[in-house]
Amino acid sequence: MSESDDIFAEHARQAAELDADIGAAHVGKVYAEALLGAAEATGQTESLVEEFDSLITDVLEPFPKLEEVLASGFISHDEKAGIIDRVFGGRTSDTLVNFLKVVARHERLDCLRAIHRQTHKLLDEMRGLVHVRLTTATPVDSTQAQRIADSLAGFLGGRPVVERETDPQLIGGAILQVDDTVYDGSIARQLEIVREQMIDRSVHEIQSRRDRFRNSAGN
């Protein structure tokens, strides 16, 4: 058994011990760590991730039936291993083929897309990259995007990769999203916050008056 097979087997054992109801993202992370660990050990990280990308976009997405078969719990892992050999053997690296077989043996091919997402997430962390989604009312050019990225570098603790989007409904300003955290600097949102504060203040004043009235009536 090769070193990469040992890595795959150990991480597969950890994934198999996870409760069945645990999120696919957690399972995906365990296998992604195994894949990147083997890739880093052989110096194939970039090429292996590109192969994984191609597997998702060029094979599974155009052929959803194949994805259903691989994820099915009614097909044995030996049958799935044979399918993997026929479909991917000789077309992708042995490292990726062996990895898919390990995932199949532990009946986790239904988490393949989660593994793919976590692979990119972990690779970004390894490279010190932080993806930032920038939404503005009007388009932002490359120079402006780079200026924003430079200003965020120290704050985010990594090298920002800015993905630009345009939303004409924004009155002005910008919305920054890093993972699940949203930094909303748009005027529209600021106006909404002011409106919410005014409503809360009005409700509080009405409640206070009601309480004072009740107290005076009681006396």
Side-chain angles (χ1 to χ4, degrees):
M1 179 180 290
S2 67
E3 180 180 355
S4 63
D5 288 340
D6 289 336
I7 295 174
F8 293 157
E10 173 60 22
H11 283 76
R13 182 189 63 77
Q14 295 176 23
E17 292 175 353
L18 295 173
D19 292 337
D21 61 348
I22 200 164
H26 295 283
V27 175
K29 184 177 181 180
V30 172
Y31 283 102
E33 288 174 345
L35 181 62
L36 289 177
E40 288 283 297
T42 58
Q44 299 176 337
T45 304
E46 301 298 333
S47 61
L48 194 59
V49 172
E50 288 177 1
E51 287 185 2
F52 204 171
D53 291 343
S54 179
L55 183 152
I56 298 294
T57 59
D58 299 331
V59 180
L60 296 189
E61 290 184 357
F63 304 101
K65 288 295 183 182
L66 173 61
E67 185 170 9
E68 290 178 13
V69 168
L70 293 176
S72 174
F74 298 101
I75 300 176
S76 70
H77 63 79
D78 287 335
E79 291 176 295
K80 292 179 182 179
I83 294 172
I84 290 169
D85 278 331
R86 290 194 299 273
V87 175
F88 302 108
R91 298 178 178 86
T92 60
S93 65
D94 291 341
T95 302
L96 185 57
V97 169
N98 291 338
F99 172 74
L100 293 174
K101 288 181 178 180
V102 169
V103 178
R105 186 162 65 249
H106 291 272
E107 299 181 351
R108 293 294 192 179
L109 283 176
D110 59 317
C111 295
L112 204 54
R113 288 182 183 268
I115 297 171
H116 179 250
R117 288 192 295 270
Q118 289 296 320
T119 296
H120 274 279
K121 185 174 182 178
L122 291 175
L123 183 60
D124 286 342
E125 292 176 2
M126 292 166 57
R127 301 294 188 258
L129 301 179
V130 181
H131 286 271
V132 178
R133 186 180 300 278
L134 171 65
T135 305
T136 54
T138 57
V140 173
D141 60 31
S142 299
T143 301
Q144 291 173 312
Q146 185 59 51
R147 191 178 298 123
I148 293 171
D150 293 340
S151 65
L152 291 172
F155 171 71
L156 296 176
R159 181 156 56 92
V161 178
V162 179
E163 302 168 0
R164 291 168 283 173
E165 285 191 357
T166 303
D167 182 359
Q169 294 184 351
L170 290 179
I171 299 176
I175 296 176
L176 291 174
Q177 181 173 350
V178 182
D179 291 330
D180 295 327
T181 303
V182 177
Y183 303 92
D184 191 340
S186 69
I187 295 176
R189 180 54 185 157
Q190 292 174 20
L191 292 175
E192 180 66 18
I193 291 174
V194 171
R195 188 183 73 85
E196 291 172 356
Q197 290 173 342
M198 291 176 64
I199 293 174
D200 290 342
R201 190 180 302 117
S202 298
V203 171
H204 177 71
E205 290 177 358
I206 292 172
Q207 184 64 46
S208 297
R209 291 174 183 173
R210 183 183 300 167
D211 292 341
R212 287 197 300 270
F213 174 78
R214 287 176 178 174
N215 291 334
S216 61
N219 295 329

